[in-house]
Amino acid sequence: MSFLITEARIFDGENVSLPKGHVLVEGGLIKAVFESMPSSLPEGCITVSGVGCTLVPGLIDAHVHTFDEVQTLSQALHFGVTTVLDMFSEPNHVAKMLQVAAQRNDVADHKSCCHGATIKGGWPAAIETLFDKSAEKADKISKWPDLNGSTSPAQYVATQKAHGASYIKLFQESGKLVNLSFDRPLPTPSPSTQRAIVDAAHEEGMLAVAHAFSFEDTLAVLNSGVDGLMHGCPDLAPNNDLVDAFQKHNAFVVPTLVILATLSGEEQASREQFGQRLEPTKKENMCACLSILTSSTSIENTYQQIRHLRAAGVDIVAGTDSASVLKGVEFGISLHHEMWLYVKRCGLSAVEALRSATSVTAKRFRLFDRGRIEPGLKADLLLVRGDPTTNIESTLDIVDVWRNGTRLDREH
């Protein structure tokens, strides 16, 4: 099947390449991009009017937790998020989600790290067992890797890769910023272990990204050589040490402002603004918040960090930490909220925010077949009314979504 999107403003993932262009899709791929209407089209090709609209690459959420919930992929795609990057799941869940994403175009594509590089008694086991003390949960956690015990870094990385992991995730979490009833500081891997995990990932040709909340933990894990950080820091305003560490290792940051805001109990008004787009149950969850960070934290600290990191040339990659069990975030819609926060709170332009959810993510996570509107790439596309390159709120005025060139029926 082929179709031609006509007379649309083309944001190609980097810039507006054409103010009124035409994009031909054939066989699930972008076949050609035209400045003027082509004189001939493939037999049976249909046309889709893009008048008054902007065509954007399908959005990528670089931090989610899908578990084995296929509905999360459906909801993501409904809001134009054509790819999600899962940041910790059981191997059997990953196998299921990879299979579903490969077989269906009415759900977002799915990538994962499978198990993170955990240690006994560390994060996220400490928080999971706090809320679920069942024997089933304890048994599941007992099967997680123990990088301070019997699991070597090389074994850990090879096992995750065999399970279908696309990248590796480390944890450097002392728990000092979380106001919950577990002993602090939580145990963390030694610096030499973290460096060995990063080295093992790189030897396998895989990225290594890391979870950390506090400035201290972030600086420690950056110095292990990770490729990216999966959260901003809400405890301290930015300083040169942080910027230098990101620059030294050419690391990117996934700020996850939306999850940090619900963790700190801030940004209630904007959560409610975006929650209006959801059905009642989802809206209620989106408009709730977790409020579990200590009083020493503030989302404003993270906003300032993103401003400084952006000014220093550090890549900003959009991600939300969406999970069905977390209040204050919802799949798909929260990525639009995240981009809005980049523009309204952190000083990014609308174009920079769009890049953070398309071409920059694709580049940094080595997803070379998507994230841009170019011939030969996947036809993962989002058509919206208006001009999101000047008004970021236009990303939610969705006309059509395509994954692998298949149009999503958003009415059902």
Side-chain angles (χ1 to χ4, degrees), residues 65-80:
H65 297 275
T66 58
F67 311 118
D68 64 344
E69 300 166 357
V70 176
Q71 185 274 336
T72 63
L73 302 184
S74 300
Q75 183 172 320
L77 190 63
H78 180 81
F79 288 103

Side-chain angles (χ1 to χ4, degrees), residues 6-10 16-22 34-37 50-52:
T6 64
E7 298 186 276
R9 180 182 298 103
I10 309 298
V16 175
S17 58
L18 291 170
K20 190 177 289 187
H22 315 267
F34 301 100
E35 186 173 356
S36 57
M37 190 72 173
V51 173

